[in-house]
Amino acid sequence: MSKPNSAVFQIESEIEWEDQGNGIQRQVYGYNNQIMLVKAKFEKGAIGTLHSHPHTQVTYVRGGAFEVTMGDEKRIIKDGDGFYAAPNVVHGVVCLEAGILVDAFAPMREDFI
Protein backbone atom coordinates (compact mmCIF):
# COMPACT_ATOMS: atom_id res chain seq x y z
CA MET A 1 0.00 0.00 0.00
CA SER A 2 1.31 3.42 -0.94
CA LYS A 3 1.79 6.05 1.74
CA PRO A 4 1.52 9.77 1.03
CA ASN A 5 4.64 11.85 0.56
CA SER A 6 5.75 14.17 3.32
CA ALA A 7 5.42 17.93 3.14
CA VAL A 8 7.87 19.59 0.74
CA PHE A 9 9.62 21.51 3.53
CA GLN A 10 10.49 20.21 6.99
CA ILE A 11 11.05 22.96 9.57
CA GLU A 12 12.74 21.62 12.69
CA SER A 13 10.75 23.84 15.08
CA GLU A 14 7.49 22.62 13.50
CA ILE A 15 8.18 18.88 13.76
CA GLU A 16 7.14 17.28 17.03
CA TRP A 17 9.57 15.01 18.82
CA GLU A 18 7.98 11.58 19.31
CA ASP A 19 8.97 10.00 22.63
CA GLN A 20 10.28 6.49 22.00
CA GLY A 21 10.94 5.85 25.70
CA ASN A 22 14.17 5.08 27.53
CA GLY A 23 15.82 8.41 26.66
CA ILE A 24 15.17 8.37 22.90
CA GLN A 25 13.05 10.78 20.85
CA ARG A 26 12.41 10.82 17.10
CA GLN A 27 11.53 13.40 14.42
CA VAL A 28 10.40 12.18 11.01
CA TYR A 29 11.49 14.44 8.15
CA GLY A 30 10.98 14.06 4.39
CA TYR A 31 9.85 10.81 2.83
CA ASN A 32 8.14 9.06 -0.03
CA ASN A 33 7.85 5.34 -0.75
CA GLN A 34 11.54 5.07 -1.66
CA ILE A 35 13.36 7.15 0.99
CA MET A 36 12.96 8.62 4.47
CA LEU A 37 15.02 10.94 6.69
CA VAL A 38 14.68 10.66 10.48
CA LYS A 39 16.42 12.29 13.47
CA ALA A 40 16.82 10.37 16.71
CA LYS A 41 17.85 12.24 19.88
CA PHE A 42 19.56 10.15 22.57
CA GLU A 43 20.22 10.95 26.21
CA LYS A 44 23.50 9.65 27.66
CA GLY A 45 23.08 5.95 28.45
CA ALA A 46 20.13 5.43 26.11
CA ILE A 47 20.23 2.21 24.14
CA GLY A 48 19.03 1.64 20.60
CA THR A 49 18.51 -2.09 21.07
CA LEU A 50 19.95 -4.60 18.63
CA HIS A 51 17.57 -5.08 15.72
CA SER A 52 17.42 -5.65 11.98
CA HIS A 53 15.08 -4.55 9.21
CA PRO A 54 14.81 -5.01 5.43
CA HIS A 55 15.66 -1.34 4.80
CA THR A 56 19.04 0.04 3.78
CA GLN A 57 20.15 2.60 6.41
CA VAL A 58 22.83 5.27 6.37
CA THR A 59 23.35 7.22 9.61
CA TYR A 60 25.22 10.47 10.34
CA VAL A 61 26.18 11.51 13.88
CA ARG A 62 25.13 15.10 14.60
CA GLY A 63 26.58 15.52 18.06
CA GLY A 64 27.41 13.11 20.82
CA ALA A 65 29.22 9.79 20.84
CA PHE A 66 27.85 6.28 20.32
CA GLU A 67 29.09 2.72 20.59
CA VAL A 68 27.71 1.08 17.46
CA THR A 69 27.33 -2.66 17.02
CA MET A 70 27.12 -3.73 13.38
CA GLY A 71 26.91 -7.48 13.02
CA ASP A 72 29.94 -8.81 14.91
CA GLU A 73 31.83 -5.49 14.94
CA LYS A 74 31.75 -2.64 17.49
CA ARG A 75 33.10 0.87 16.99
CA ILE A 76 32.80 4.17 18.82
CA ILE A 77 31.66 6.95 16.52
CA LYS A 78 31.21 10.63 17.28
CA ASP A 79 30.05 13.93 15.81
CA GLY A 80 30.70 13.94 12.08
CA ASP A 81 31.05 10.15 11.74
CA GLY A 82 28.49 7.75 10.37
CA PHE A 83 27.64 4.16 9.54
CA TYR A 84 25.97 2.04 6.87
CA ALA A 85 23.58 -0.78 7.82
CA ALA A 86 22.84 -3.18 4.99
CA PRO A 87 19.37 -4.75 4.90
CA ASN A 88 18.77 -7.39 7.58
CA VAL A 89 22.11 -6.82 9.37
CA VAL A 90 21.70 -6.77 13.16
CA HIS A 91 22.76 -3.39 14.57
CA GLY A 92 22.25 -1.13 17.58
CA VAL A 93 23.78 1.73 19.56
CA VAL A 94 24.64 2.76 23.10
CA CYS A 95 24.78 6.51 23.64
CA LEU A 96 28.04 7.46 25.41
CA GLU A 97 27.50 11.26 25.16
CA ALA A 98 24.06 12.78 24.47
CA GLY A 99 23.59 13.42 20.77
CA ILE A 100 21.56 13.02 17.62
CA LEU A 101 21.65 10.42 14.87
CA VAL A 102 20.34 11.40 11.44
CA ASP A 103 19.07 8.29 9.63
CA ALA A 104 18.25 7.84 5.95
CA PHE A 105 16.24 4.74 5.06
CA ALA A 106 15.46 3.18 1.69
CA PRO A 107 12.74 2.31 1.18
CA MET A 108 10.84 4.41 3.73
CA ARG A 109 10.02 2.97 7.16
CA GLU A 110 6.24 2.64 6.97
CA ASP A 111 6.25 1.68 10.66
CA PHE A 112 7.46 5.23 11.50
CA ILE A 113 4.37 7.01 10.15
Side-chain angles (χ1 to χ4, degrees):
M1 177 177 192
S2 233
K3 298 287 182 184
N5 295 344
S6 68
V8 173
F9 296 101
Q10 294 85 50
I11 309 303
E12 183 176 41
S13 63
E14 297 174 4
I15 301 172
E16 288 188 42
W17 285 99
E18 302 168 13
D19 187 7
Q20 302 301 298
N22 300 315
I24 304 171
Q25 295 182 358
R26 175 171 64 209
Q27 282 182 315
V28 176
Y29 276 68
Y31 61 88
N32 66 15
N33 287 334
Q34 287 123 24
I35 193 166
M36 174 179 270
L37 188 70
V38 176
K39 279 182 17 188
K41 182 168 41 174
F42 286 75
E43 296 174 6
K44 182 178 180 178
I47 297 172
T49 57
L50 290 173
H51 66 286
S52 66
H53 44 71
H55 313 83
T56 297
Q57 176 180 344
V58 177
T59 297
Y60 173 77
V61 181
R62 189 183 123 194
F66 296 83
E67 180 185 75
V68 178
T69 300
M70 188 66 58
D72 295 331
E73 187 175 356
K74 285 187 182 186
R75 295 266 322 246
I76 293 177
I77 62 174
K78 58 184 179 20
D79 188 32
D81 297 337
F83 65 83
Y84 164 75
N88 302 310
V89 171
V90 174
H91 59 283
V93 302
V94 175
C95 183
L96 305 175
E97 296 174 17
I100 292 177
L101 299 179
V102 180
D103 301 319
F105 296 101
M108 70 175 285
R109 296 285 305 260
E110 290 188 24
D111 54 321
F112 283 12
I113 58 170

